Amino acid sequence: MPLARFSLYESGVEIYIGSTADDGDAWQATLVHIARESRAFVVAPAHFQRASAYPEDFPLRAELADVDVIGRGGSAILGPDGAYLAGPLYDEEAILYAELEPARLYEERQRFDPAGHYHRPDLLGLRFGAP
């Protein structure tokens, strides 16, 4: 949803939260893209869950009988250049930590700022609601 993301970029987002249940490699590529595009830190919690976490009376319990891991995780923290500061973490429950240095935002936005010097409100606009 590029227009929704741009609205965040235009607001000056510094920490973008990208939570998901998607544990695929394509989501990791999306996180790198969002970090580089926004020049913001990306904190991306992803859900790690075992079938055993469901209660015995869960209506779909029989469908999970031969399943151990339902969501393998993939949580990560990325810098505004798209580099991983922590993670991605798969196949275990844990807490990721990273030190976020605000000066990095300004350094990276000198290279590219989607809502700054690359923004052309004279040519392009984002409007919400009816015209």
Side-chain angles (χ1 to χ4, degrees), residues 32-83:
V32 171
H33 170 81
I34 290 171
R36 292 182 52 99
E37 181 182 66
S38 66
R39 299 302 190 195
F41 293 100
V42 174
V43 175
H47 110 271
F48 171 76
Q49 186 171 14
R50 295 188 184 279
S52 61
Y54 286 92
E56 290 299 322
D57 61 349
F58 180 62
L60 301 175
R61 172 59 93 181
E63 293 184 34
L64 302 176
D66 297 325
V67 178
D68 178 26
V69 175
I70 294 173
R72 65 186 191 109
S75 296
I77 304 171
L78 294 90
D81 61 348

mmCIF file of all heavy atoms in Angstrom, residues 32-83:
data_model
loop_
_atom_site.group_PDB
_atom_site.id
_atom_site.type_symbol
_atom_site.label_atom_id
_atom_site.label_comp_id
_atom_site.label_asym_id
_atom_site.label_seq_id
_atom_site.Cartn_x
_atom_site.Cartn_y
_atom_site.Cartn_z
ATOM 1 N N VAL A 32 13.135 -4.815 4.171
ATOM 2 C CA VAL A 32 14.329 -4.097 3.710
ATOM 3 C C VAL A 32 13.907 -2.939 2.818
ATOM 4 O O VAL A 32 14.402 -1.810 2.954
ATOM 5 C CB VAL A 32 15.298 -5.050 2.973
ATOM 6 C CG1 VAL A 32 16.419 -4.278 2.297
ATOM 7 C CG2 VAL A 32 15.868 -6.078 3.947
ATOM 8 N N HIS A 33 12.973 -3.191 1.922
ATOM 9 C CA HIS A 33 12.483 -2.136 1.026
ATOM 10 C C HIS A 33 11.857 -0.987 1.805
ATOM 11 O O HIS A 33 12.151 0.186 1.541
ATOM 12 C CB HIS A 33 11.464 -2.720 0.035
ATOM 13 C CG HIS A 33 10.740 -1.687 -0.740
ATOM 14 N ND1 HIS A 33 11.290 -1.079 -1.849
ATOM 15 C CD2 HIS A 33 9.532 -1.113 -0.559
ATOM 16 C CE1 HIS A 33 10.442 -0.183 -2.315
ATOM 17 N NE2 HIS A 33 9.370 -0.190 -1.549
ATOM 18 N N ILE A 34 11.005 -1.314 2.782
ATOM 19 C CA ILE A 34 10.348 -0.261 3.559
ATOM 20 C C ILE A 34 11.370 0.562 4.332
ATOM 21 O O ILE A 34 11.279 1.789 4.383
ATOM 22 C CB ILE A 34 9.282 -0.867 4.509
ATOM 23 C CG1 ILE A 34 8.102 -1.384 3.678
ATOM 24 C CG2 ILE A 34 8.816 0.159 5.537
ATOM 25 C CD1 ILE A 34 7.091 -2.185 4.490
ATOM 26 N N ALA A 35 12.362 -0.084 4.921
ATOM 27 C CA ALA A 35 13.398 0.651 5.656
ATOM 28 C C ALA A 35 14.138 1.603 4.724
ATOM 29 O O ALA A 35 14.353 2.771 5.054
ATOM 30 C CB ALA A 35 14.368 -0.322 6.321
ATOM 31 N N ARG A 36 14.524 1.105 3.556
ATOM 32 C CA ARG A 36 15.268 1.943 2.606
ATOM 33 C C ARG A 36 14.389 3.035 2.015
ATOM 34 O O ARG A 36 14.840 4.155 1.802
ATOM 35 C CB ARG A 36 15.864 1.089 1.503
ATOM 36 C CG ARG A 36 16.971 0.167 2.002
ATOM 37 C CD ARG A 36 17.567 -0.637 0.874
ATOM 38 N NE ARG A 36 17.976 0.234 -0.213
ATOM 39 C CZ ARG A 36 19.217 0.652 -0.423
ATOM 40 N NH1 ARG A 36 20.174 0.254 0.368
ATOM 41 N NH2 ARG A 36 19.501 1.440 -1.430
ATOM 42 N N GLU A 37 13.140 2.713 1.736
ATOM 43 C CA GLU A 37 12.226 3.689 1.148
ATOM 44 C C GLU A 37 11.865 4.787 2.140
ATOM 45 O O GLU A 37 11.846 5.960 1.795
ATOM 46 C CB GLU A 37 10.959 2.969 0.677
ATOM 47 C CG GLU A 37 9.927 3.871 0.032
ATOM 48 C CD GLU A 37 8.697 3.092 -0.357
ATOM 49 O OE1 GLU A 37 7.985 2.595 0.549
ATOM 50 O OE2 GLU A 37 8.453 2.969 -1.569
ATOM 51 N N SER A 38 11.601 4.400 3.388
ATOM 52 C CA SER A 38 11.179 5.374 4.398
ATOM 53 C C SER A 38 12.344 6.090 5.048
ATOM 54 O O SER A 38 12.178 7.153 5.616
ATOM 55 C CB SER A 38 10.374 4.678 5.490
ATOM 56 O OG SER A 38 11.194 3.780 6.226
ATOM 57 N N ARG A 39 13.530 5.465 5.003
ATOM 58 C CA ARG A 39 14.705 5.951 5.744
ATOM 59 C C ARG A 39 14.348 6.094 7.216
ATOM 60 O O ARG A 39 14.701 7.048 7.892
ATOM 61 C CB ARG A 39 15.235 7.261 5.180
ATOM 62 C CG ARG A 39 15.697 7.169 3.737
ATOM 63 C CD ARG A 39 16.773 6.146 3.544
ATOM 64 N NE ARG A 39 17.314 6.290 2.179
ATOM 65 C CZ ARG A 39 18.058 5.421 1.570
ATOM 66 N NH1 ARG A 39 18.400 4.326 2.187
ATOM 67 N NH2 ARG A 39 18.487 5.619 0.362
ATOM 68 N N ALA A 40 13.605 5.076 7.699
ATOM 69 C CA ALA A 40 13.211 5.006 9.105
ATOM 70 C C ALA A 40 13.669 3.663 9.658
ATOM 71 O O ALA A 40 13.982 2.739 8.902
ATOM 72 C CB ALA A 40 11.693 5.130 9.244
ATOM 73 N N PHE A 41 13.702 3.557 10.975
ATOM 74 C CA PHE A 41 13.945 2.272 11.603
ATOM 75 C C PHE A 41 12.679 1.436 11.429
ATOM 76 O O PHE A 41 11.570 1.967 11.481
ATOM 77 C CB PHE A 41 14.258 2.443 13.089
ATOM 78 C CG PHE A 41 15.553 3.144 13.346
ATOM 79 C CD1 PHE A 41 15.581 4.487 13.680
ATOM 80 C CD2 PHE A 41 16.757 2.457 13.242
ATOM 81 C CE1 PHE A 41 16.779 5.136 13.909
ATOM 82 C CE2 PHE A 41 17.965 3.102 13.474
ATOM 83 C CZ PHE A 41 17.972 4.445 13.798
ATOM 84 N N VAL A 42 12.838 0.156 11.203
ATOM 85 C CA VAL A 42 11.692 -0.747 11.069
ATOM 86 C C VAL A 42 11.782 -1.792 12.165
ATOM 87 O O VAL A 42 12.786 -2.502 12.271
ATOM 88 C CB VAL A 42 11.665 -1.422 9.677
ATOM 89 C CG1 VAL A 42 10.564 -2.463 9.606
ATOM 90 C CG2 VAL A 42 11.487 -0.379 8.577
ATOM 91 N N VAL A 43 10.760 -1.838 12.977
ATOM 92 C CA VAL A 43 10.637 -2.859 14.011
ATOM 93 C C VAL A 43 9.535 -3.793 13.532
ATOM 94 O O VAL A 43 8.396 -3.366 13.330
ATOM 95 C CB VAL A 43 10.291 -2.244 15.381
ATOM 96 C CG1 VAL A 43 10.058 -3.324 16.422
ATOM 97 C CG2 VAL A 43 11.392 -1.287 15.822
ATOM 98 N N ALA A 44 9.897 -5.052 13.308
ATOM 99 C CA ALA A 44 8.985 -5.993 12.663
ATOM 100 C C ALA A 44 8.780 -7.243 13.509
ATOM 101 O O ALA A 44 9.451 -8.257 13.316
ATOM 102 C CB ALA A 44 9.529 -6.364 11.289
ATOM 103 N N PRO A 45 7.846 -7.183 14.460
ATOM 104 C CA PRO A 45 7.547 -8.390 15.218
ATOM 105 C C PRO A 45 6.763 -9.377 14.356
ATOM 106 O O PRO A 45 5.828 -8.982 13.664
ATOM 107 C CB PRO A 45 6.702 -7.881 16.394
ATOM 108 C CG PRO A 45 6.173 -6.561 15.954
ATOM 109 C CD PRO A 45 7.091 -6.028 14.911
ATOM 110 N N ALA A 46 7.181 -10.617 14.366
ATOM 111 C CA ALA A 46 6.491 -11.664 13.615
ATOM 112 C C ALA A 46 6.133 -12.785 14.575
ATOM 113 O O ALA A 46 6.880 -13.080 15.502
ATOM 114 C CB ALA A 46 7.385 -12.188 12.493
ATOM 115 N N HIS A 47 5.033 -13.410 14.339
ATOM 116 C CA HIS A 47 4.546 -14.348 15.338
ATOM 117 C C HIS A 47 5.147 -15.743 15.188
ATOM 118 O O HIS A 47 5.186 -16.304 14.110
ATOM 119 C CB HIS A 47 3.017 -14.302 15.365
ATOM 120 C CG HIS A 47 2.265 -15.453 14.851
ATOM 121 N ND1 HIS A 47 1.884 -15.585 13.549
ATOM 122 C CD2 HIS A 47 1.792 -16.530 15.499
ATOM 123 C CE1 HIS A 47 1.200 -16.695 13.400
ATOM 124 N NE2 HIS A 47 1.135 -17.284 14.563
ATOM 125 N N PHE A 48 5.686 -16.199 16.310
ATOM 126 C CA PHE A 48 6.167 -17.581 16.437
ATOM 127 C C PHE A 48 5.154 -18.304 17.316
ATOM 128 O O PHE A 48 4.840 -17.852 18.415
ATOM 129 C CB PHE A 48 7.548 -17.635 17.095
ATOM 130 C CG PHE A 48 7.979 -19.038 17.436
ATOM 131 C CD1 PHE A 48 8.420 -19.890 16.439
ATOM 132 C CD2 PHE A 48 7.904 -19.501 18.732
ATOM 133 C CE1 PHE A 48 8.789 -21.195 16.736
ATOM 134 C CE2 PHE A 48 8.280 -20.801 19.046
ATOM 135 C CZ PHE A 48 8.721 -21.649 18.037
ATOM 136 N N GLN A 49 4.624 -19.396 16.798
ATOM 137 C CA GLN A 49 3.604 -20.089 17.576
ATOM 138 C C GLN A 49 3.628 -21.582 17.310
ATOM 139 O O GLN A 49 3.781 -22.024 16.175
ATOM 140 C CB GLN A 49 2.219 -19.542 17.221
ATOM 141 C CG GLN A 49 1.129 -20.091 18.073
ATOM 142 C CD GLN A 49 -0.181 -19.378 17.833
ATOM 143 O OE1 GLN A 49 -0.345 -18.661 16.869
ATOM 144 N NE2 GLN A 49 -1.113 -19.578 18.731
ATOM 145 N N ARG A 50 3.477 -22.316 18.372
ATOM 146 C CA ARG A 50 3.374 -23.772 18.294
ATOM 147 C C ARG A 50 1.898 -24.178 18.400
ATOM 148 O O ARG A 50 1.106 -23.506 19.068
ATOM 149 C CB ARG A 50 4.166 -24.429 19.411
ATOM 150 C CG ARG A 50 5.647 -24.202 19.307
ATOM 151 C CD ARG A 50 6.395 -25.049 20.343
ATOM 152 N NE ARG A 50 7.807 -24.760 20.310
ATOM 153 C CZ ARG A 50 8.661 -25.270 19.428
ATOM 154 N NH1 ARG A 50 8.232 -26.088 18.491
ATOM 155 N NH2 ARG A 50 9.941 -24.962 19.478
ATOM 156 N N ALA A 51 1.558 -25.271 17.776
ATOM 157 C CA ALA A 51 0.188 -25.793 17.848
ATOM 158 C C ALA A 51 -0.199 -26.090 19.288
ATOM 159 O O ALA A 51 -1.367 -25.961 19.672
ATOM 160 C CB ALA A 51 0.053 -27.038 16.987
ATOM 161 N N SER A 52 0.770 -26.448 20.094
ATOM 162 C CA SER A 52 0.493 -26.770 21.505
ATOM 163 C C SER A 52 0.014 -25.559 22.306
ATOM 164 O O SER A 52 -0.478 -25.707 23.426
ATOM 165 C CB SER A 52 1.736 -27.363 22.164
ATOM 166 O OG SER A 52 2.803 -26.435 22.129
ATOM 167 N N ALA A 53 0.123 -24.351 21.742
ATOM 168 C CA ALA A 53 -0.336 -23.147 22.425
ATOM 169 C C ALA A 53 -1.862 -23.040 22.441
ATOM 170 O O ALA A 53 -2.416 -22.281 23.225
ATOM 171 C CB ALA A 53 0.257 -21.901 21.765
ATOM 172 N N TYR A 54 -2.521 -23.809 21.590
ATOM 173 C CA TYR A 54 -3.982 -23.778 21.541
ATOM 174 C C TYR A 54 -4.562 -24.657 22.641
ATOM 175 O O TYR A 54 -4.019 -25.721 22.944
ATOM 176 C CB TYR A 54 -4.489 -24.261 20.171
ATOM 177 C CG TYR A 54 -4.268 -23.252 19.088
ATOM 178 C CD1 TYR A 54 -3.112 -23.275 18.314
ATOM 179 C CD2 TYR A 54 -5.208 -22.264 18.843
ATOM 180 C CE1 TYR A 54 -2.892 -22.333 17.318
ATOM 181 C CE2 TYR A 54 -5.002 -21.314 17.845
ATOM 182 C CZ TYR A 54 -3.846 -21.358 17.092
ATOM 183 O OH TYR A 54 -3.636 -20.437 16.116
ATOM 184 N N PRO A 55 -5.676 -24.249 23.226
ATOM 185 C CA PRO A 55 -6.281 -25.057 24.292
ATOM 186 C C PRO A 55 -6.856 -26.369 23.742
ATOM 187 O O PRO A 55 -7.121 -26.493 22.548
ATOM 188 C CB PRO A 55 -7.395 -24.149 24.831
ATOM 189 C CG PRO A 55 -7.691 -23.193 23.729
ATOM 190 C CD PRO A 55 -6.412 -23.016 22.968
ATOM 191 N N GLU A 56 -7.040 -27.309 24.618
ATOM 192 C CA GLU A 56 -7.548 -28.624 24.226
ATOM 193 C C GLU A 56 -8.911 -28.538 23.552
ATOM 194 O O GLU A 56 -9.228 -29.342 22.684
ATOM 195 C CB GLU A 56 -7.628 -29.561 25.447
ATOM 196 C CG GLU A 56 -6.272 -29.981 25.967
ATOM 197 C CD GLU A 56 -5.451 -30.745 24.938
ATOM 198 O OE1 GLU A 56 -6.015 -31.558 24.182
ATOM 199 O OE2 GLU A 56 -4.225 -30.522 24.885
ATOM 200 N N ASP A 57 -9.737 -27.567 23.937
ATOM 201 C CA ASP A 57 -11.083 -27.466 23.365
ATOM 202 C C ASP A 57 -11.135 -26.591 22.109
ATOM 203 O O ASP A 57 -12.203 -26.194 21.662
ATOM 204 C CB ASP A 57 -12.072 -26.966 24.412
ATOM 205 C CG ASP A 57 -11.742 -25.578 24.946
ATOM 206 O OD1 ASP A 57 -10.621 -25.075 24.670
ATOM 207 O OD2 ASP A 57 -12.587 -24.991 25.653
ATOM 208 N N PHE A 58 -9.987 -26.277 21.527
ATOM 209 C CA PHE A 58 -9.942 -25.480 20.294
ATOM 210 C C PHE A 58 -10.674 -26.244 19.181
ATOM 211 O O PHE A 58 -10.385 -27.426 18.956
ATOM 212 C CB PHE A 58 -8.486 -25.196 19.903
ATOM 213 C CG PHE A 58 -8.325 -24.394 18.651
ATOM 214 C CD1 PHE A 58 -8.831 -23.108 18.562
ATOM 215 C CD2 PHE A 58 -7.668 -24.929 17.554
ATOM 216 C CE1 PHE A 58 -8.683 -22.359 17.409
ATOM 217 C CE2 PHE A 58 -7.512 -24.188 16.390
ATOM 218 C CZ PHE A 58 -8.023 -22.898 16.316
ATOM 219 N N PRO A 59 -11.642 -25.611 18.501
ATOM 220 C CA PRO A 59 -12.465 -26.315 17.514
ATOM 221 C C PRO A 59 -11.689 -26.977 16.367
ATOM 222 O O PRO A 59 -12.141 -27.970 15.823
ATOM 223 C CB PRO A 59 -13.387 -25.226 16.969
ATOM 224 C CG PRO A 59 -13.403 -24.169 18.013
ATOM 225 C CD PRO A 59 -12.076 -24.241 18.699
ATOM 226 N N LEU A 60 -10.540 -26.468 16.013
ATOM 227 C CA LEU A 60 -9.773 -27.030 14.900
ATOM 228 C C LEU A 60 -8.588 -27.865 15.387
ATOM 229 O O LEU A 60 -7.646 -28.098 14.644
ATOM 230 C CB LEU A 60 -9.288 -25.908 13.976
ATOM 231 C CG LEU A 60 -10.376 -25.024 13.362
ATOM 232 C CD1 LEU A 60 -9.767 -23.886 12.559
ATOM 233 C CD2 LEU A 60 -11.312 -25.847 12.502
ATOM 234 N N ARG A 61 -8.627 -28.310 16.621
ATOM 235 C CA ARG A 61 -7.528 -29.048 17.222
ATOM 236 C C ARG A 61 -7.122 -30.258 16.364
ATOM 237 O O ARG A 61 -5.950 -30.536 16.183
ATOM 238 C CB ARG A 61 -7.912 -29.490 18.629
ATOM 239 C CG ARG A 61 -6.948 -30.432 19.309
ATOM 240 C CD ARG A 61 -5.581 -29.861 19.440
ATOM 241 N NE ARG A 61 -5.428 -29.197 20.717
ATOM 242 C CZ ARG A 61 -4.303 -28.593 21.056
ATOM 243 N NH1 ARG A 61 -3.280 -28.577 20.250
ATOM 244 N NH2 ARG A 61 -4.204 -27.988 22.201
ATOM 245 N N ALA A 62 -8.083 -30.966 15.787
ATOM 246 C CA ALA A 62 -7.777 -32.158 14.980
ATOM 247 C C ALA A 62 -6.934 -31.801 13.758
ATOM 248 O O ALA A 62 -6.073 -32.583 13.340
ATOM 249 C CB ALA A 62 -9.073 -32.846 14.542
ATOM 250 N N GLU A 63 -7.141 -30.619 13.204
ATOM 251 C CA GLU A 63 -6.370 -30.211 12.027
ATOM 252 C C GLU A 63 -4.920 -29.882 12.377
ATOM 253 O O GLU A 63 -4.061 -29.811 11.500
ATOM 254 C CB GLU A 63 -7.039 -29.020 11.349
ATOM 255 C CG GLU A 63 -8.381 -29.382 10.736
ATOM 256 C CD GLU A 63 -8.995 -28.231 9.987
ATOM 257 O OE1 GLU A 63 -8.244 -27.434 9.376
ATOM 258 O OE2 GLU A 63 -10.232 -28.128 10.011
ATOM 259 N N LEU A 64 -4.645 -29.667 13.641
ATOM 260 C CA LEU A 64 -3.294 -29.331 14.085
ATOM 261 C C LEU A 64 -2.557 -30.536 14.673
ATOM 262 O O LEU A 64 -1.440 -30.398 15.162
ATOM 263 C CB LEU A 64 -3.355 -28.218 15.147
ATOM 264 C CG LEU A 64 -4.024 -26.921 14.731
ATOM 265 C CD1 LEU A 64 -4.099 -25.965 15.915
ATOM 266 C CD2 LEU A 64 -3.277 -26.282 13.579
ATOM 267 N N ALA A 65 -3.174 -31.699 14.608
ATOM 268 C CA ALA A 65 -2.633 -32.890 15.268
ATOM 269 C C ALA A 65 -1.195 -33.216 14.866
ATOM 270 O O ALA A 65 -0.391 -33.590 15.703
ATOM 271 C CB ALA A 65 -3.536 -34.088 15.005
ATOM 272 N N ASP A 66 -0.858 -33.070 13.608
ATOM 273 C CA ASP A 66 0.484 -33.431 13.135
ATOM 274 C C ASP A 66 1.375 -32.214 12.912
ATOM 275 O O ASP A 66 2.394 -32.309 12.233
ATOM 276 C CB ASP A 66 0.382 -34.234 11.829
ATOM 277 C CG ASP A 66 -0.356 -35.541 12.036
ATOM 278 O OD1 ASP A 66 -0.202 -36.132 13.127
ATOM 279 O OD2 ASP A 66 -1.089 -35.964 11.123
ATOM 280 N N VAL A 67 0.987 -31.075 13.477
ATOM 281 C CA VAL A 67 1.719 -29.828 13.260
ATOM 282 C C VAL A 67 2.398 -29.414 14.566
ATOM 283 O O VAL A 67 1.789 -29.471 15.630
ATOM 284 C CB VAL A 67 0.762 -28.703 12.787
ATOM 285 C CG1 VAL A 67 1.501 -27.402 12.614
ATOM 286 C CG2 VAL A 67 0.062 -29.100 11.511
ATOM 287 N N ASP A 68 3.656 -29.021 14.478
ATOM 288 C CA ASP A 68 4.347 -28.497 15.654
ATOM 289 C C ASP A 68 4.344 -26.969 15.609
ATOM 290 O O ASP A 68 3.714 -26.313 16.411
ATOM 291 C CB ASP A 68 5.781 -29.028 15.724
ATOM 292 C CG ASP A 68 6.547 -28.474 16.916
ATOM 293 O OD1 ASP A 68 5.919 -28.106 17.932
ATOM 294 O OD2 ASP A 68 7.787 -28.396 16.832
ATOM 295 N N VAL A 69 5.018 -26.408 14.607
ATOM 296 C CA VAL A 69 5.136 -24.948 14.493
ATOM 297 C C VAL A 69 4.134 -24.434 13.474
ATOM 298 O O VAL A 69 4.113 -24.882 12.327
ATOM 299 C CB VAL A 69 6.571 -24.542 14.097
ATOM 300 C CG1 VAL A 69 6.665 -23.048 13.852
ATOM 301 C CG2 VAL A 69 7.556 -24.965 15.187
ATOM 302 N N ILE A 70 3.314 -23.471 13.894
ATOM 303 C CA ILE A 70 2.320 -22.861 13.005
ATOM 304 C C ILE A 70 2.899 -21.606 12.362
ATOM 305 O O ILE A 70 2.742 -21.368 11.182
ATOM 306 C CB ILE A 70 1.042 -22.520 13.782
ATOM 307 C CG1 ILE A 70 0.387 -23.805 14.256
ATOM 308 C CG2 ILE A 70 0.083 -21.703 12.931
ATOM 309 C CD1 ILE A 70 -0.776 -23.585 15.163
ATOM 310 N N GLY A 71 3.557 -20.782 13.145
ATOM 311 C CA GLY A 71 4.214 -19.570 12.649
ATOM 312 C C GLY A 71 5.658 -19.608 13.092
ATOM 313 O O GLY A 71 5.945 -19.647 14.289
ATOM 314 N N ARG A 72 6.586 -19.608 12.151
ATOM 315 C CA ARG A 72 7.999 -19.790 12.515
ATOM 316 C C ARG A 72 8.711 -18.505 12.869
ATOM 317 O O ARG A 72 9.902 -18.477 13.104
ATOM 318 C CB ARG A 72 8.744 -20.543 11.417
ATOM 319 C CG ARG A 72 8.862 -19.830 10.122
ATOM 320 C CD ARG A 72 9.494 -20.721 9.050
ATOM 321 N NE ARG A 72 9.815 -19.916 7.891
ATOM 322 C CZ ARG A 72 11.036 -19.593 7.516
ATOM 323 N NH1 ARG A 72 12.070 -20.031 8.185
ATOM 324 N NH2 ARG A 72 11.223 -18.844 6.465
ATOM 325 N N GLY A 73 8.003 -17.370 12.905
ATOM 326 C CA GLY A 73 8.607 -16.105 13.327
ATOM 327 C C GLY A 73 9.198 -15.327 12.184
ATOM 328 O O GLY A 73 8.634 -15.240 11.103
ATOM 329 N N GLY A 74 10.357 -14.732 12.444
ATOM 330 C CA GLY A 74 11.013 -13.880 11.468
ATOM 331 C C GLY A 74 11.100 -12.440 11.949
ATOM 332 O O GLY A 74 11.319 -11.526 11.162
ATOM 333 N N SER A 75 10.945 -12.234 13.250
ATOM 334 C CA SER A 75 11.040 -10.881 13.807
ATOM 335 C C SER A 75 12.394 -10.269 13.482
ATOM 336 O O SER A 75 13.409 -10.966 13.424
ATOM 337 C CB SER A 75 10.862 -10.911 15.329
ATOM 338 O OG SER A 75 9.569 -11.353 15.661
ATOM 339 N N ALA A 76 12.386 -8.950 13.268
ATOM 340 C CA ALA A 76 13.622 -8.267 12.901
ATOM 341 C C ALA A 76 13.538 -6.791 13.256
ATOM 342 O O ALA A 76 12.442 -6.242 13.418
ATOM 343 C CB ALA A 76 13.874 -8.420 11.398
ATOM 344 N N ILE A 77 14.693 -6.183 13.368
ATOM 345 C CA ILE A 77 14.822 -4.733 13.533
ATOM 346 C C ILE A 77 15.819 -4.277 12.486
ATOM 347 O O ILE A 77 16.919 -4.828 12.385
ATOM 348 C CB ILE A 77 15.303 -4.353 14.948
ATOM 349 C CG1 ILE A 77 14.361 -4.928 16.014
ATOM 350 C CG2 ILE A 77 15.421 -2.833 15.077
ATOM 351 C CD1 ILE A 77 14.873 -4.795 17.436
ATOM 352 N N LEU A 78 15.424 -3.288 11.690
ATOM 353 C CA LEU A 78 16.276 -2.803 10.601
ATOM 354 C C LEU A 78 16.588 -1.328 10.765
ATOM 355 O O LEU A 78 15.781 -0.566 11.303
ATOM 356 C CB LEU A 78 15.589 -3.015 9.251
ATOM 357 C CG LEU A 78 15.387 -4.467 8.834
ATOM 358 C CD1 LEU A 78 14.060 -4.984 9.337
ATOM 359 C CD2 LEU A 78 15.467 -4.604 7.344
ATOM 360 N N GLY A 79 17.742 -0.939 10.269
ATOM 361 C CA GLY A 79 18.140 0.455 10.264
ATOM 362 C C GLY A 79 17.567 1.178 9.055
ATOM 363 O O GLY A 79 17.035 0.548 8.132
ATOM 364 N N PRO A 80 17.693 2.502 9.018
ATOM 365 C CA PRO A 80 17.137 3.275 7.914
ATOM 366 C C PRO A 80 17.860 3.076 6.581
ATOM 367 O O PRO A 80 17.425 3.608 5.567
ATOM 368 C CB PRO A 80 17.241 4.722 8.404
ATOM 369 C CG PRO A 80 18.286 4.702 9.451
ATOM 370 C CD PRO A 80 18.264 3.340 10.062
ATOM 371 N N ASP A 81 18.907 2.274 6.580
ATOM 372 C CA ASP A 81 19.587 1.922 5.328
ATOM 373 C C ASP A 81 19.182 0.535 4.848
ATOM 374 O O ASP A 81 19.666 0.055 3.829
ATOM 375 C CB ASP A 81 21.104 1.981 5.502
ATOM 376 C CG ASP A 81 21.624 1.013 6.550
ATOM 377 O OD1 ASP A 81 20.809 0.444 7.315
ATOM 378 O OD2 ASP A 81 22.847 0.827 6.610
ATOM 379 N N GLY A 82 18.281 -0.128 5.602
ATOM 380 C CA GLY A 82 17.821 -1.466 5.237
ATOM 381 C C GLY A 82 18.657 -2.588 5.816
ATOM 382 O O GLY A 82 18.367 -3.751 5.585
ATOM 383 N N ALA A 83 19.699 -2.251 6.578
ATOM 384 C CA ALA A 83 20.546 -3.290 7.184
ATOM 385 C C ALA A 83 19.889 -3.817 8.453
ATOM 386 O O ALA A 83 19.255 -3.067 9.199
ATOM 387 C CB ALA A 83 21.920 -2.713 7.519
#
